[in-house]
Amino acid sequence: MKARLGGEEGKHKFVLKTPKGTRDYGPKQMAIRERVFIAIITCFKRHGAEVIDTPVFELKETLTGKYGEDSKLIYDLKDQGGELLSLRYDLTVPFARYLAMNKITNIKRYHIAKVYRRDNPATTRGRYREFYQCDFDIAGQFDPMIPDAECLKILHEILSELQIGDFLIKVNDRRILNGMFAICGIPESKLLTLCSTLDKLDKMPWEEVRSEMVGEKGLSPEAADRIGEYVQLHGGMDLIEQLLQDPKLSQNKLAKEGLGDMKLLFEYLTLFGIAGKVSFDLSLARGLDYYTGVIYEAVLLQQENDHGEESVSVGSVAGGGRYDGLVGMFDPKGRKVPCVGVSIGIERIFSILEHRMKASGEKVRTTETQVMVATPQKHLLSARLKLISELWDAGIKAEMMYRKDPKLLKQLQYCEDTGIPLVAIIGEQELRDGVVKLRDVATREEVRMSLQQVSEVFPKSSWSQKALGFPGAPLKSCIVDLADKCSFLLAL
Amino acid sequence: MKARLGGEEGKHKFVLKTPKGTRDYGPKQMAIRERVFIAIITCFKRHGAEVIDTPVFELKETLTGKYGEDSKLIYDLKDQGGELLSLRYDLTVPFARYLAMNKITNIKRYHIAKVYRRDNPATTRGRYREFYQCDFDIAGQFDPMIPDAECLKILHEILSELQIGDFLIKVNDRRILNGMFAICGIPESKLLTLCSTLDKLDKMPWEEVRSEMVGEKGLSPEAADRIGEYVQLHGGMDLIEQLLQDPKLSQNKLAKEGLGDMKLLFEYLTLFGIAGKVSFDLSLARGLDYYTGVIYEAVLLQQENDHGEESVSVGSVAGGGRYDGLVGMFDPKGRKVPCVGVSIGIERIFSILEHRMKASGEKVRTTETQVMVATPQKHLLSARLKLISELWDAGIKAEMMYRKDPKLLKQLQYCEDTGIPLVAIIGEQELRDGVVKLRDVATREEVRMSLQQVSEVFPKSSWSQKALGFPGAPLKSCIVDLADKCSFLLAL
C-alpha cells in the first residue's frame, strides 16, 4: 500500500498512501459495504427510526470530558483562527448535543457515519482510525427497560441477518458495578477509572487487570480479589435471582435497582425470543464515562478459519447502553433526557464478509448495467450515441465503449468481463430496417426488435428500485412484455 | 441556533452550537436529502458507474499544489505526532491519488461524500464549510469528447430529474482560454492566476474583474481590454465556427485544438438531444489549477420567489471538466491517466427543495412504519411485546409505545402524528380468540384476523425494497392477499 516516490525530475518526493489507520474502499469492497448498510438500515427502519446527520467535527469543548481516559485519542483540528474543533469520536455525544441544542426530549433516530480515533489500530483485525458506526438510539422518558430491550432486539436481528457466525450479547448495568465496587470497599470516585480497567478483561487475563487495579489504580489487593470473585459470574435469570439474594449486594440501593431492572429486561428478552443469546456478565464494564444504567456488548464466538488461511480474529462488533445524564451536560439548566442506544461497528463485520468473499472466489458485479450498446461496423458512432441516449432517457442502465470504432469482439468481451447480460447491436442493416438486435451475452441468442420494443423490454422502474437494485435482480424482474418474442428473455 | 450557556453551578459555560459553516440535518431534511441522493445515484448507476470511497483526510502533501489560490481554505489537522493531515477539499484529488496508488488506468466511478473548505460561507444561500459533493468521473485513454459528452448528459439528466427549475450548462476549454490569453499578449505563466480572476465574472461585473487583472495581476490595460472582448462571447455551434475563422485565434495551436474538440462535443450533445441547454461561453474559467481541457458549470436560471419570501438566490450547482495531468502528479514516473468528470454540489439544490417544501406546507413522513401495535386495556404489555416481535421477525415495520399501559387514544394519536396507516390492536377479547384487530387509522375500518393472516398482509419484501421504500409506497404494494377480506385494505 506504500510506495516511496522519487521521480527523475525530483518532482515526486512523497509517500503515496492513505493516512495511517485509514483505507480506500474499491468497487468490490463498496458492493459488500452497501449490502451491510442496507441490512442495518432496513432493521432500523423496521423499528420506526428517523434518521439525522451531524457535522464530522464539533467544537472541541463539546467533546471535552465525555470519554474519560480515551479523550487522548481525539483528533483535533489545527488552530487556523476561529473556533477550536475536533473530529467526532463517536455519534453519541453529537446526538446528545443535537438534542440539547434543539430542545428535543423524545426521538428514535439512527445515524450512520464515520468516527475518528487516534488509536494504534491493528488494521488486519478490522480496526481503523477512521471507521463507520451505525447507531440507533431512543431518547425520552419511558417505562423501565422497554426501549432497552428493543435495542437488544435490534442488535439480535442485525447480527442474525448478516450471517457472520454465532454471537453472544453480554449485558451488565453500571448501577450493579457501582454497588459491587461499593460493597468491596472502593470509593465511588474510582468507579469510572476502574470501569476503564475492567473493560480490558476481554483483551487480557484477570491477573493483569488485577495488577493494574492494585498498581496503577491504587486498590488494596483484598478489594481487588473481592471484585475478582464477582466479575467471574455470568448467566441468565438464575444469576439475577442469586444476586438478588446476595446478602451484601442486595443491601446496596443502586445494585438492587440495577438487578431489578435486569430481571425486567430478561423478561422482555424472553418475550422477544432472544434471551438465549444474551448473557448477564458481571465483567462487562464498557470504557466510556457517560453510561448510567444497562450496558451491553456483542461478541462473535466463531472465527473464520475454514481455509487454513490467517484467521480474521474478531471480538466485539457492537455495544451500547443507557446514558441518562449526557444530554443534561449540554442543557443550560441541566435538564436530563434519558437515552439508550446501540452502536454497530461494521468494520469488523465487513472484514469477515470480505474475507469470506475472497475465500469463496465468488464473482461480485460492481455495476448494474443492463445493456451494452454496440456496433459491428465502423462509422456508426452517431447511431450508438443516439440509441444509448434513448435508453438512458427511458431509465435503462446502459453503457457503450468510448471509442469511435470499437471491434464487436471487444464490446462483447467488455460485457463478459463486467457481467452485462444483454447487448443492443445496431449495424448498417439494422439502421436500414429501423430495428435493433438484442443479444443475450451468455447464450448468444439474438432477436431483432424495434427501438420502441427495446425500451419496453426494460420497463421504467421506480426511483427506489432503480437506485438499489442489486446485480442480477433488476433485470430478472424487468422482462415483462416481450417474453413471447424470444425465449432467452424468459430465462433471464 | 446559538445559546450561550452559564449554568447555576458554573458547570455549563460553553456555546451550544455546531461549528461555523456547518449544520445538523434533522429527520425532515434527511428525507429530502435521501430523495436527492437517490435521484443522483440512480443516474450514476444508469451510466454504468462503480462506486468508491476514500478517507475524509489525506496526507497534507497529497493536497499541496493542486488548488491554486484556494489552498488557503484547506482545513489542516493539528500535529499530534505522526503524519500531517488535511481534510479533503474535493473528491477529485483523492480520486487521482487512488488511481495512481492502485495503478488503475481505466475506471468509471462515482463518489458521494462530504468535503471541507474554510470559506466564509453565506449559509443562507446554501453555501457551507462542510458540504456534500456528488462526483462522477471517467478515467482512461479514449477517443476525444465521447466521455466528456457523457458527463454533460449526466448533468442534464440529474438537473432535469430534480425539477429545480430552468438551468444552463456553460462550457469552455482551458486550451481556448490559453490561446485567447496568448494572442492578447499575456505570458503562459499568468494563465492559472488569471483563470482564478476570470472565474469571479459570475459574482462581479467585468469592470471589477478587469481592474483586478490590471491592478493585482499586472496586466496592461490594452491586454485586459482585448480579453474583455472575447469573454463577452457565448453561443453554440455558430460561435465555434466563427472563432475557427478568427484570424488570430485559429492560428494558435492550443486554441485550434480546443475549438475542434468543442465542435465535436456539440455534435455529440446534439445527438444526445441536449445541445439546447448548453452554451459555449468564453467567460467560463473555473478556479482550480488542475483542469487541462473542456470545463463546464451548470447554473440555475430561475429563482424561487413565488411566495414573496426572501429569495433563495443560487448560482452554480455543478461543475467539472477534463484534468489529464492530475493522476500523473501522483505517479512516480509521471504516467498520465486522462480524466474527465462532473461534480454536483447538492447543498444549493437541497436549499431550494427545502425552501419549496416549507412554502408548500407539504407534510413529509420521516419514518416508514407500517403498523402500530396497540392495546386497549391495562396489563397487556406482554401481548404487545410478543406480537410486535413476531411482526419484526416477519420483516414488517412496526412500532409500539414504550409504556406499560398507554391509553388507546394516545396510541392512535401517535399514528396520526407520524402517519402510520394501520394499527394492530390486541385486547383481552382478541387474546382469548387468538386474533388481532387490524384498524385503518384514516377510515377507522376494522377487521379481525389471525396472527398468521396479519403477517401475510405484509409480504416479506426484498432487502433493497425494504431499505428504500418511500413512505406510502411500500404499503400500497404490500396488500396482496387479504384484500377480499376487508375493503379498506384494497383502498390503501
Side-chain angles (χ1 to χ4, degrees):
Chain A
M1 295 279 273
K2 273 190 202 187
R4 185 159 291 276
L5 302 179
E8 291 119 283
E9 305 136 52
K11 270 201 273 184
H12 306 288
K13 286 217 172 124
F14 56 87
V15 179
L16 191 58
K17 66 185 283 292
T18 61
K20 183 181 176 188
T22 69
R23 60 171 164 177
D24 298 318
Y25 282 81
K28 280 191 182 152
Q29 296 166 310
M30 287 297 281
I32 303 171
R33 198 173 99 176
E34 236 180 17
R35 288 185 199 195
V36 174
F37 279 157
I38 287 172
I40 292 171
I41 293 172
T42 299
C43 178
F44 290 163
K45 292 199 179 209
R46 190 159 60 233
H47 288 260
E50 303 181 284
V51 55
I52 70 158
D53 192 23
T54 64
V56 79
F57 42 61
E58 295 278 345
L59 298 186
K60 186 176 164 63
E61 60 191 14
T62 298
L63 306 190
T64 303
K66 311 298 186 304
Y67 300 108
E69 294 174 14
D70 288 346
S71 294
K72 62 181 183 295
L73 303 182
I74 293 174
Y75 277 98
D76 291 329
L77 268 71
K78 191 170 157 184
D79 182 0
Q80 294 172 292
E83 299 161 334
L84 291 181
L85 307 173
S86 302
L87 297 186
R88 62 183 162 212
Y89 184 84
D90 64 8
L91 303 177
T92 309
V93 169
F95 175 55
R97 192 266 307 146
Y98 170 78
L99 295 187
M101 191 170 124
N102 296 286
K103 298 190 172 50
I104 296 167
T105 56
N106 194 330
I107 191 173
K108 176 164 57 180
R109 79 90 182 82
Y110 72 90
H111 187 187
I112 296 182
K114 288 174 175 176
V115 301
Y116 299 87
R117 299 184 183 181
R118 291 180 54 258
D119 219 330
N120 279 315
T123 50
T124 49
R125 292 192 208 157
R127 292 188 64 200
Y128 290 89
R129 289 184 160 198
E130 173 187 62
F131 57 97
Y132 267 98
Q133 283 194 336
C134 306
D135 278 24
F136 173 99
D137 293 81
I138 300 170
Q141 187 69 57
F142 302 115
D143 282 325
M145 307 318 278
I146 307 179
D148 313 58
E150 183 168 2
C151 288
L152 294 179
K153 175 77 171 90
I154 284 173
L155 190 46
H156 188 277
E157 283 177 26
I158 289 171
L159 294 179
S160 304
E161 174 131 17
L162 289 175
Q163 299 181 316
I164 42 172
D166 204 11
F167 60 88
L168 183 72
I169 303 172
K170 299 179 184 176
V171 296
N172 198 0
D173 193 297
R174 274 283 167 95
R175 291 166 297 174
I176 298 174
L177 281 169
N178 202 317
M180 181 182 92
F181 287 134
I183 62 172
C184 294
I186 297 159
E188 210 185 320
S189 59
K190 292 210 168 155
L191 177 69
L192 291 178
T193 181
L194 283 176
C195 280
S196 281
T197 304
L198 209 49
D199 189 47
K200 299 174 185 166
L201 259 182
D202 59 339
K203 288 166 218 141
M204 48 169 88
W206 165 248
E207 278 311 311
E208 282 180 49
V209 170
R210 183 186 178 281
S211 81
E212 181 176 320
M213 284 184 164
V214 175
E216 287 177 40
K217 306 288 163 86
L219 242 63
S220 71
E222 297 73 29
D225 289 336
R226 280 196 293 270
I227 289 175
E229 276 170 42
Y230 279 111
V231 299
Q232 283 168 44
L233 301 174
H234 53 89
M237 201 58 115
D238 48 336
L239 177 60
I240 300 169
E241 296 289 2
Q242 178 195 321
L243 291 177
L244 276 169
Q245 307 305 321
D246 182 296
K248 279 183 279 179
L249 207 56
S250 62
Q251 273 173 29
N252 179 283
K253 189 173 166 284
L254 274 176
K256 205 179 160 192
E257 253 181 56
L259 285 167
D261 278 350
M262 189 61 73
K263 192 175 166 185
L264 208 50
L265 179 67
F266 268 81
E267 281 170 23
Y268 298 160
L269 298 181
T270 305
L271 288 164
F272 284 161
I274 62 167
K277 289 274 186 206
V278 182
S279 167
F280 172 38
D281 188 325
L282 276 108
S283 73
L284 181 72
R286 305 279 298 158
L288 301 177
D289 277 11
Y290 50 63
Y291 291 116
T292 55
V294 64
I295 46 177
Y296 33 82
E297 200 165 286
V299 291
L300 295 184
L301 297 179
Q302 283 184 320
Q303 297 197 345
E304 284 280 301
N305 206 3
D306 310 340
H307 301 268
E309 295 167 38
E310 196 192 339
S311 84
V312 180
S313 91
V314 290
S316 159
V317 290
R322 179 162 282 284
Y323 49 102
D324 289 347
L326 191 57
V327 179
M329 289 175 76
F330 292 106
D331 189 88
K333 292 185 179 155
R335 279 168 297 210
K336 288 187 176 178
V337 178
C339 294
V340 64
V342 59
S343 178
I344 321 275
I346 67 130
E347 306 302 330
R348 291 180 185 192
I349 293 170
F350 175 78
S351 285
I352 295 168
L353 293 176
E354 194 185 12
H355 184 262
R356 185 186 295 171
M357 201 81 101
K358 269 187 196 155
S360 76
E362 193 193 327
K363 215 177 167 186
V364 191
R365 268 199 83 178
T366 54
T367 65
E368 297 174 14
T369 310
Q370 298 168 307
V371 60
M372 176 83 180
V373 174
T375 38
Q377 294 103 14
K378 289 193 170 183
H379 312 302
L380 288 169
L381 175 61
S382 301
R384 250 191 304 147
L385 290 173
K386 219 161 171 320
L387 175 58
I388 201 167
S389 176
E390 282 171 37
L391 295 176
W392 286 330
D393 291 344
I396 296 163
K397 295 169 191 158
E399 281 188 81
M400 56 172 271
M401 296 197 83
Y402 301 121
R403 295 282 179 196
K404 270 198 301 198
D405 298 311
K407 293 211 163 60
L408 185 59
L409 210 64
K410 282 219 166 177
Q411 297 171 83
L412 296 174
Q413 188 59 48
Y414 182 83
C415 295
E416 305 233 358
D417 293 346
T418 62
I420 301 175
L422 290 176
V423 197
I425 299 171
I426 184 154
E428 287 158 5
Q429 187 61 47
E430 286 78 17
L431 215 52
R432 270 192 296 275
D433 300 346
V435 297
V436 168
K437 205 158 64 184
L438 204 61
R439 176 190 170 112
D440 182 278
V441 175
T443 66
R444 302 184 184 181
E445 278 184 90
E446 292 182 345
V447 60
R448 284 157 61 93
M449 51 178 73
S450 70
L451 274 179
Q452 174 65 22
Q453 286 173 317
V454 170
S455 51
E456 280 166 5
V457 169
F458 312 92
K460 287 180 198 180
S461 49
S462 77
W463 254 19
S464 59
Q465 285 170 324
K466 275 194 288 183
L468 270 187
F470 277 116
L475 198 59
K476 272 187 195 159
S477 59
C478 269
I479 308 302
V480 287
D481 216 28
L482 291 180
D484 53 326
K485 293 200 189 289
C486 49
S487 60
F488 76 82
L489 288 179
L490 259 180
L492 280 173
Chain B
M1 295 280 270
K2 274 190 203 186
R4 184 159 293 275
L5 303 178
E8 290 119 283
E9 306 136 52
K11 267 202 273 185
H12 306 289
K13 284 218 173 124
F14 55 87
V15 179
L16 191 58
K17 66 184 283 291
T18 62
K20 183 180 176 189
T22 69
R23 60 170 163 176
D24 298 318
Y25 283 81
K28 281 193 181 150
Q29 296 167 310
M30 288 298 281
I32 302 172
R33 198 173 99 176
E34 236 181 16
R35 287 186 199 194
V36 173
F37 279 157
I38 288 172
I40 292 171
I41 293 172
T42 301
C43 178
F44 291 163
K45 292 199 179 206
R46 189 159 61 232
H47 288 261
E50 303 181 284
V51 56
I52 71 158
D53 192 23
T54 64
V56 79
F57 41 61
E58 295 278 345
L59 298 186
K60 185 176 165 62
E61 60 191 12
T62 298
L63 306 189
T64 303
K66 310 298 188 303
Y67 300 108
E69 294 174 13
D70 288 347
S71 294
K72 62 181 184 296
L73 304 181
I74 293 174
Y75 277 99
D76 291 330
L77 268 71
K78 191 171 158 186
D79 182 1
Q80 293 171 292
E83 299 160 334
L84 291 180
L85 307 174
S86 302
L87 297 185
R88 63 183 162 213
Y89 183 84
D90 64 9
L91 303 177
T92 310
V93 169
F95 175 55
R97 191 266 308 145
Y98 170 78
L99 295 187
M101 191 172 124
N102 296 286
K103 298 190 173 53
I104 296 167
T105 56
N106 194 332
I107 191 173
K108 176 164 57 181
R109 79 89 180 82
Y110 72 90
H111 188 186
I112 295 182
K114 288 174 174 175
V115 301
Y116 299 87
R117 299 183 183 181
R118 290 180 55 256
D119 219 331
N120 278 314
T123 50
T124 49
R125 292 192 208 160
R127 291 188 63 201
Y128 290 88
R129 288 183 163 200
E130 174 187 59
F131 57 98
Y132 267 98
Q133 284 195 335
C134 306
D135 279 24
F136 173 98
D137 293 82
I138 300 170
Q141 186 70 55
F142 302 116
D143 282 327
M145 307 317 280
I146 307 178
D148 314 58
E150 183 167 2
C151 288
L152 294 179
K153 176 76 172 89
I154 284 172
L155 189 47
H156 187 278
E157 283 176 26
I158 289 171
L159 294 179
S160 305
E161 175 132 16
L162 289 174
Q163 299 181 315
I164 42 170
D166 204 11
F167 61 88
L168 183 72
I169 302 172
K170 299 178 184 176
V171 296
N172 198 1
D173 193 296
R174 274 283 168 94
R175 292 167 297 174
I176 299 174
L177 282 168
N178 202 316
M180 182 183 90
F181 287 134
I183 63 171
C184 294
I186 297 158
E188 210 185 319
S189 60
K190 292 209 168 154
L191 178 70
L192 291 177
T193 180
L194 283 175
C195 280
S196 282
T197 304
L198 209 50
D199 189 47
K200 297 174 186 167
L201 259 182
D202 59 339
K203 287 167 220 143
M204 48 169 89
W206 165 248
E207 277 313 310
E208 281 179 49
V209 170
R210 182 185 179 280
S211 82
E212 183 176 318
M213 283 184 165
V214 174
E216 286 176 42
K217 306 288 164 88
L219 241 62
S220 71
E222 297 73 29
D225 288 337
R226 280 196 292 270
I227 289 175
E229 276 171 41
Y230 280 111
V231 299
Q232 284 169 43
L233 301 174
H234 53 91
M237 202 55 117
D238 49 335
L239 177 61
I240 301 169
E241 296 291 0
Q242 179 195 320
L243 290 176
L244 276 168
Q245 306 304 321
D246 183 297
K248 278 183 280 180
L249 207 54
S250 63
Q251 274 174 27
N252 179 283
K253 189 173 166 286
L254 275 176
K256 204 178 158 191
E257 253 180 57
L259 286 166
D261 277 351
M262 190 60 72
K263 193 175 164 184
L264 208 51
L265 179 66
F266 268 81
E267 283 171 21
Y268 297 160
L269 297 181
T270 305
L271 288 164
F272 284 161
I274 61 167
K277 289 274 188 206
V278 182
S279 166
F280 172 37
D281 188 325
L282 276 106
S283 73
L284 180 73
R286 304 280 298 156
L288 300 178
D289 277 12
Y290 50 63
Y291 291 117
T292 55
V294 64
I295 46 177
Y296 33 82
E297 200 165 286
V299 291
L300 296 182
L301 297 178
Q302 283 183 321
Q303 296 196 345
E304 285 278 301
N305 206 3
D306 309 340
H307 301 268
E309 294 167 39
E310 197 191 339
S311 85
V312 179
S313 92
V314 290
S316 159
V317 289
R322 180 162 281 286
Y323 48 102
D324 288 348
L326 191 56
V327 178
M329 290 174 76
F330 291 107
D331 188 90
K333 293 187 177 155
R335 279 168 298 208
K336 288 185 176 178
V337 177
C339 294
V340 65
V342 60
S343 178
I344 321 274
I346 68 128
E347 306 302 330
R348 292 180 185 192
I349 292 169
F350 174 78
S351 284
I352 295 169
L353 293 176
E354 194 185 11
H355 184 261
R356 185 186 294 168
M357 202 81 100
K358 269 187 195 154
S360 77
E362 193 192 328
K363 213 176 168 188
V364 191
R365 269 199 80 177
T366 53
T367 66
E368 298 174 13
T369 310
Q370 298 167 307
V371 61
M372 176 83 179
V373 174
T375 37
Q377 295 103 12
K378 288 193 171 184
H379 312 301
L380 288 169
L381 175 62
S382 300
R384 250 190 304 147
L385 289 173
K386 221 163 169 318
L387 174 59
I388 200 167
S389 176
E390 282 171 38
L391 294 176
W392 286 330
D393 292 344
I396 296 163
K397 295 168 191 158
E399 280 186 82
M400 57 172 270
M401 296 197 83
Y402 300 121
R403 295 279 180 200
K404 270 198 301 198
D405 297 311
K407 293 213 161 58
L408 185 59
L409 210 63
K410 282 219 167 178
Q411 297 172 83
L412 295 174
Q413 188 59 48
Y414 182 84
C415 294
E416 305 232 359
D417 293 347
T418 61
I420 301 175
L422 291 177
V423 197
I425 300 171
I426 185 153
E428 287 159 5
Q429 187 61 45
E430 286 77 18
L431 215 52
R432 270 193 295 274
D433 300 347
V435 297
V436 168
K437 204 158 63 183
L438 204 61
R439 176 189 170 113
D440 183 278
V441 174
T443 66
R444 301 182 185 183
E445 279 184 89
E446 291 182 346
V447 60
R448 285 158 59 95
M449 51 177 73
S450 70
L451 275 178
Q452 174 65 21
Q453 285 173 316
V454 170
S455 51
E456 280 166 5
V457 169
F458 312 92
K460 287 181 198 177
S461 48
S462 77
W463 252 20
S464 58
Q465 285 169 325
K466 276 193 286 181
L468 270 187
F470 277 116
L475 200 58
K476 273 187 193 162
S477 60
C478 270
I479 309 302
V480 286
D481 218 29
L482 292 179
D484 54 323
K485 293 200 188 287
C486 49
S487 61
F488 76 82
L489 287 179
L490 259 181
L492 280 173

